[in-house]
Amino acid sequence: MITTKFTETFGVDHPVVQGGMQWVGRAELVAGVANAGALGFITALTQPTPADLADEIARCRELTDKPFGVNLTILPTINPPPYDEYRRVIVDSGIKIVETAGSNPAPHLPMFHDNGIEVLHKCTSVRHAVKAQSLGVDGISIDGFECAGHPGEDDIPGLVLIPAAAEKIDIPMIASGGFADGRGLVAALALGADGINMGSRFMCTVESAIHQNVKEAIVAGSELDTALIFRPLRNTARVASNAVSRDVVDILDKGGRFEDVKDLVAGVRGVKVFELGDLDAGIWSVGTAMGLINDIPTVGELVARIVAEAEGLITGRLARMVGSDEDERVLA
Ligand SMILES: Cc1cc2nc3c(=O)[nH]c(=O)nc-3n(C[C@H](O)[C@H](O)[C@H](O)COP(=O)(O)O)c2cc1C
């Protein structure tokens, strides 16, 4: 067992989190993560309506009696989803942990806290982490440049971002972006985090309800196979490098506007990748951790393996490096 401030505050066995993932964060995966003793989040906005979210939470409860949470991604869109209704469903369903991301969580905090819900806020810069801490969130998930989805515009990888944030954050903090195995977990702990959050790695598991072609593409892919779209629009997203994402980069680099790529990046196309397994149907998120993902295990196997590998590293190779007797030391 690895016990940290995070496992104690959020009441889970292992310091491992499955963050919200549009089209991927559904009941089977989240329940698998919960049953493995880690913390999973159902992605609220994957459900077309608040009523569908209530059904998905109920479905997840049938699959596990362990705690799990809901991710609420707050996007600055022209036609925002009915956030207050999604929030009401989260509260009424008895959820006790929410992952917020995408924007300032302040408007959502009073209602969550009044109902005994802990909020884990995911952000991509030290200044946003500090701001969220001052607003009273219960934990921070600090997401480095390696990550799938939105890495922000500062381009600071975890090796610097995590310790820089750790110096300013007193509440439990987990590290996110580029984690896939026990080595990453140990590194995150060494850098000052209390655990790790993973998206891409959990996407590529038996329980993740996406097409097998996508999982196999992740296994076949390397750390070089992602693309950063929307850079000129300052709304960067890390996605798989494919025909569509390369087109989007090209059009925007040549001075195109969002309207020129709107159809290419539409969610209706992206969801086809996950449902039909057509890898060039649209854009789909995945991170550089792809270079570390070589199999499609069950979630239970994955979490157990990560924790065992981390424990083995801490008590084995690393401990031997600091042995007091020169004979005990092993050159690693
Ligand atoms: C397919 C996919 C969809 C994602 N959708 C969301 C989302 O809707 N909201 C969110 O907060 N994060 C989203 N993320 C980001 C993950 O929660 C997590 O922060 C990220 O994957 C961490 O980086 P990693 O992929 O290197 O582990 C998504 C990630 C993936 C892979």
Side-chain angles (χ1 to χ4, degrees):
M1 285 285 270
I2 298 177
T3 304
T4 69
K5 243 175 8 181
F6 176 79
T7 58
E8 290 184 340
T9 304
F10 289 88
V12 286
D13 294 339
H14 305 303
V16 176
V17 171
Q18 167 256 306
M21 284 184 275
Q22 184 67 335
W23 314 125
V24 181
R26 301 177 191 269
E28 290 77 10
L29 176 62
V30 175
V33 173
N35 287 333
L39 179 59
F41 289 96
I42 289 180
T43 311
L45 300 185
T46 292
Q47 301 303 321
T49 68
D52 292 313
L53 175 61
D55 291 346
E56 192 70 359
I57 293 170
R59 221 160 62 75
C60 196
R61 284 237 166 78
E62 281 168 20
L63 301 172
T64 184
D65 53 10
K66 297 263 186 72
F68 61 89
V70 172
N71 163 286
L72 191 63
T73 303
I74 310 145
L75 299 165
T77 48
I78 299 161
N79 296 312
Y83 282 115
D84 48 344
E85 291 174 37
Y86 279 98
R87 206 170 54 202
R88 168 55 54 203
V89 163
I90 292 169
V91 169
D92 290 349
S93 302
I95 289 291
K96 290 297 166 209
I97 309 175
V98 165
E99 179 190 56
T100 51
S103 192
N104 189 331
H108 305 277
L109 285 179
M111 185 167 173
F112 287 145
H113 279 162
D114 287 350
N115 288 281
I117 296 174
E118 292 176 307
V119 176
L120 179 64
H121 183 64
K122 188 166 59 188
C123 51
T124 57
S125 72
V126 177
R127 64 189 181 284
H128 291 150
V130 168
K131 174 81 196 272
Q133 177 173 253
S134 73
L135 289 171
V137 302
D138 305 279
I140 296 288
S141 186
I142 191 86
D143 214 5
F145 187 51
E146 300 89 337
C147 73
H150 291 277
E153 308 306 320
D154 296 342
D155 303 0
I156 308 295
L159 196 57
V160 168
L161 185 66
I162 299 158
E167 281 177 18
K168 302 259 172 69
I169 299 299
D170 305 315
I171 57 178
M173 185 187 86
I174 56 169
S176 175
F179 294 99
D181 55 31
R183 297 170 299 181
L185 173 54
V186 174
L189 298 175
L191 293 171
D194 303 300
I196 53 170
N197 172 50
M198 304 188 296
S200 305
R201 179 60 276 197
F202 277 119
M203 215 176 147
C204 198
T205 57
V206 171
E207 291 90 335
S208 137
I210 58 173
H211 200 282
Q212 187 71 9
N213 289 357
V214 181
K215 300 180 193 179
E216 285 170 10
I218 293 174
V219 170
S222 84
E223 64 279 15
L224 301 174
D225 294 325
T226 72
L228 292 168
I229 58 169
F230 300 153
R231 292 239 87 172
L233 306 178
R234 294 193 61 75
N235 184 26
T236 301
R238 189 183 293 283
V239 298
S241 176
N242 67 5
V244 183
S245 62
R246 286 191 291 270
D247 256 6
V248 172
V249 169
D250 201 41
I251 292 167
L252 294 178
D253 278 354
K254 287 184 177 138
R257 293 164 309 139
F258 181 71
E259 285 65 38
D260 302 318
V261 297
K262 202 168 104 197
D263 293 336
L264 285 172
V265 302
V268 285
R269 292 182 65 144
V271 76
K272 276 196 195 150
V273 175
F274 293 135
E275 283 178 1
L276 307 178
D278 175 357
L279 298 170
D280 284 318
I283 57 160
W284 54 283
S285 298
V286 68
T288 53
M290 186 152 56
L292 304 174
I293 299 172
N294 303 310
D295 62 357
I296 309 169
T298 65
V299 169
E301 284 162 0
L302 177 66
V303 172
R305 182 168 83 195
I306 289 175
V307 174
E309 189 188 2
E311 286 172 349
L313 261 174
I314 295 167
T315 57
R317 181 165 173 255
L318 299 184
R320 285 198 298 275
M321 287 177 183
V322 293
S324 55
D325 185 330
E326 220 168 85
D327 294 341
E328 283 177 30
R329 289 189 211 147
V330 175
L331 289 180

